[in-house]
Amino acid sequence: MKVREQWTSKIGFILAAAGSAIGLGAIWKFPYETGANGGSVFILLFILSTVLIGLPVLLAEFVIGRRGQADAVSGLKKQAPGKPWYLIGWSGFIFSFLILSFYSVVGGWVLSYLVRAITLQLSGLGDADFAELFGSIISSPLEVLIAQAAFMALTIWIVQGGIKGGIERASKIMMPALLVFFVVLMIRSLTLDGAMEGVRFMFVPDWSFFNFETALVALGQAFFSLSVGVAGMITYASYLKKSENLTRSAVSVVTLNIVISIMAGLIIFPAVFALDYLPDQGPGLVFIILPAIFDQLFMGQFLIIIFFILLLFATLTSSISMLEITVSIAVKNKYDRRRRLAFIIGLAIFVVGIPSALSFGVMSEPVFFGYTFFDFVDILTSRIGLPLGALFTSLFAGYVLSNKDAHNELTQQQSWVEVWRVLVRYVAPVAIIVVFINGIINIFS
C-alpha cells in the first residue's frame, strides 16, 4: 500500500463503525445489565444517555478523525501543533491494547462454545451441567490459551487486509449476517408460550428502579456500547471522504446500536421468562443460561449454533477496530508495514492477555486491590480509560476546535452545530466526570 486508504462506500464505513460499537457490549453486557437493573427503566435511561451524551461524543470523534486524515496521534498533532492533545491518541493506543488483551479472552470463550455447539456437545445438558461446563472451560489453561490465540489470529488476519480488503469487506459480510441471525432468533423467542412476560419486563416501567445508581449504570453502558473514549472512531473516521455527512453517519451508528441492543433483549428475556428463569443472572447469562434455554427449544441445537456465530461476528467486529487503532498509530504513513505490524502488535496483545486468560484457573488469586488480573484490566479500562478518553475528546471538540472548524466538518444547519457544541462543552463532560468518580469509588469500595 503506497497511499492512505479510504472507505469505498458510506455503508462500508457505517457498518464498520457500528460493528465496532455492536460487540459484547450489546449482546453480552446490555442484557445482563438490563436484567440486573429492572428492565424497562434501565433501557429508557440507556437510550437517553446514548442519544444525549453518547451521540455528541461519537460525533466529536468523527469530526476529529475526518479532519485529521491520519492516525489518532498524528491527526491531533496536526490540529493542535505544539500542544499535548495528541496524548488522546496515545491513550487510545494503550487502552485499546489493554481492552483487546482481555476482550480476546472472552472471544476465545465464544469460539470454544461455537466448536462445542457445532459438534453437538451442548445437547442434553442440565442447568447445573451448563454452569459446570462454563467453569471448566474458563479454568482450563490449555483451552483458554488456544482459543484466545485462535481469536487473535482471526482478528490479525482481517486487519492485515487493510481498510478496503480487510475491515470493510469483513464488516459488509458479518454485519448483515448478524442482523439476519438476530431476526431469526428474535422471532423464535417471541413465539414461545409465556414470552410476553419478557416483553413486559423490557417495556413496562417498574419505577422503583428509577434512581441515581441505575442512571449511572445506564450511562456507563452507553459509553461502553458505543466504543467511545479509545480513539476508535477517530481512527475509522480518518479514512472517510470529506464529502460524507458525519451527522447522518453518527446517527446511523447510534440507531443501529440501540436497535441491536433491544433486539438482543428481545431474544433473551422472552425466552428467560417463558422457561421460568430469572433475568438477573449477571455475566453468566449468555454462557450458562442461554445454552440451557436453547437446549429446551425445538431446533435448539441449530439455534445455539446460530447464536454463537452471531456472537463471534459481533465480537470480531469490535476486536478488529481495537487492533486497527494500535496498528494505524504504529504504521503512520508507512503503509507497506501494515501486515508485519498487525502481526507483531497482535502477538504482543496475546502475550499481555495471558494472565487474563488464566485468571479463572491457575492465576485466580486476586493481585490488584482484591481483583484478579482479568477483572483489574477490565475495571482499569472501562472505569478509567474510556471515561478519561471520552472526557478529553469532548473538551478538544468543544474548546479547541473553532466554530469555523466545526461548521466545515458539520455542514448541517447552524442551530444543530451550536446544540452539539453545547453538549460536548458542558453536558457530556459533567456526565463523564460523574461516571468516572463513581467508577473510582467502586474500585476501592
Side-chain angles (χ1 to χ4, degrees):
M1 293 181 287
K2 301 299 183 183
V3 297
R4 199 167 198 271
E5 291 186 283
Q6 287 188 322
W7 304 103
T8 61
S9 64
K10 177 181 178 180
I11 189 64
F13 166 68
I14 290 174
L15 289 176
S20 173
I22 301 165
L24 290 179
I27 303 174
W28 175 51
K29 194 171 184 180
F30 177 80
Y32 83 70
E33 292 286 20
T34 301
N37 291 280
S40 56
V41 169
F42 175 84
I43 293 173
L44 175 62
L45 293 170
F46 164 74
I47 293 173
L48 290 174
S49 298
T50 301
V51 172
L52 296 178
I53 300 169
L55 174 59
V57 178
L58 176 67
L59 188 54
E61 291 207 6
F62 280 2
V63 169
I64 294 168
R66 209 259 299 272
R67 188 167 180 266
Q69 290 291 297
D71 65 87
V73 172
S74 301
L76 283 159
K77 282 183 177 180
K78 286 197 297 183
Q79 295 176 69
K83 297 179 180 178
W85 290 102
Y86 66 89
L87 293 175
I88 294 173
W90 282 118
S91 171
F93 181 101
I94 294 168
F95 285 109
S96 60
F97 187 104
L98 290 174
I99 289 171
L100 188 52
S101 74
F102 77 87
Y103 193 91
S104 59
V105 175
V106 184
W109 298 349
V110 175
L111 275 176
S112 289
Y113 267 85
L114 178 58
V115 170
R116 282 176 167 79
I118 293 172
T119 55
L120 305 181
Q121 295 180 49
L122 299 181
S123 177
L125 300 178
D127 294 358
D129 297 323
F130 281 108
E132 184 178 343
L133 174 65
F134 181 63
S136 67
I137 288 174
I138 66 175
S139 63
S140 170
L142 185 61
E143 177 164 359
V144 292
L145 290 177
I146 290 174
Q148 181 198 7
F151 181 83
M152 279 305 304
L154 279 172
T155 304
I156 292 167
W157 176 64
I158 293 170
V159 172
Q160 282 181 329
I163 296 302
K164 292 184 289 188
I167 297 172
E168 185 171 359
R169 179 182 295 175
S171 298
K172 283 183 174 180
I173 295 171
M174 289 191 289
M175 287 302 294
L178 186 150
L179 288 169
V180 171
F181 288 164
F182 257 103
V183 170
V184 170
L185 291 174
M186 186 176 67
I187 291 172
R188 181 65 189 97
S189 186
L190 289 171
T191 54
L192 294 171
D193 291 336
M196 288 303 105
E197 284 299 316
V199 175
R200 279 190 282 272
F201 175 76
M202 289 184 63
F203 297 113
V204 177
D206 179 354
W207 295 111
S208 65
F209 284 91
F210 189 75
N211 53 52
F212 183 68
E213 183 61 32
T214 304
L216 278 180
V217 175
L219 182 57
Q221 176 63 26
F223 285 129
F224 185 89
S225 64
L226 283 177
S227 296
V228 293
V230 289
M233 297 306 183
I234 293 177
T235 304
Y236 272 11
S238 72
Y239 299 111
L240 199 58
K241 298 175 183 177
K242 288 290 186 179
S243 58
E244 298 295 348
N245 187 306
L246 292 183
T247 301
R248 289 177 185 170
S249 297
V251 170
S252 297
V253 171
V254 165
T255 301
L256 273 172
N257 184 56
I258 291 172
V259 168
I260 289 292
S261 296
I262 292 175
M263 287 176 71
L266 288 173
I267 290 169
I268 292 170
F269 293 115
V272 166
F273 279 88
L275 298 172
D276 293 326
Y277 287 91
L278 295 174
D280 55 346
Q281 297 295 319
L285 186 66
V286 165
F287 293 103
I288 299 173
I289 303 301
L290 277 184
I293 290 172
F294 281 119
D295 193 49
Q296 298 181 44
L297 301 179
F298 174 68
M299 297 183 64
Q301 294 177 5
F302 173 69
L303 294 175
I304 196 64
I305 292 172
I306 288 180
F307 177 78
F308 280 110
I309 292 175
L310 177 157
L311 194 57
L312 176 63
F313 283 178
T315 311
L316 274 172
T317 54
S318 290
S319 68
I320 59 179
S321 74
M322 285 182 276
L323 182 57
E324 176 61 23
I325 296 164
T326 60
V327 170
S328 67
I329 291 173
V331 167
K332 291 189 177 179
N333 59 350
K334 298 180 180 179
Y335 307 114
D336 57 337
R337 301 192 304 178
R338 168 178 281 273
R339 294 186 65 85
R340 180 165 57 90
L341 287 172
F343 175 78
I344 292 171
I345 294 172
L347 180 61
I349 289 171
F350 167 74
V351 172
V352 171
I354 289 175
S356 291
L358 301 179
S359 290
F360 303 91
V362 296
M363 294 181 65
S364 60
E365 292 297 320
V367 288
F368 300 105
F369 305 106
Y371 295 103
T372 65
F373 198 92
F374 180 99
D375 290 334
F376 179 75
V377 176
D378 182 10
I379 290 168
L380 177 68
T381 53
S382 63
R383 297 185 185 178
I384 297 178
L386 267 67
L388 283 179
L391 174 63
F392 286 108
T393 298
S394 296
L395 294 176
F396 183 89
Y399 294 97
V400 178
L401 290 181
S402 67
N403 276 322
K404 182 180 178 181
D405 295 332
H407 283 282
N408 285 341
E409 293 298 329
L410 302 173
T411 57
Q412 289 73 31
Q413 294 180 349
Q414 182 173 343
S415 58
W416 156 243
V417 179
E418 293 307 316
V419 169
W420 171 72
R421 285 178 67 79
V422 168
L423 291 173
V424 294
R425 276 186 166 188
Y426 307 111
V427 179
V430 170
I432 294 167
I433 289 170
V434 170
V435 170
F436 176 74
I437 293 173
N438 184 67
I440 296 295
I441 291 172
N442 286 338
I443 290 176
F444 299 103
S445 62

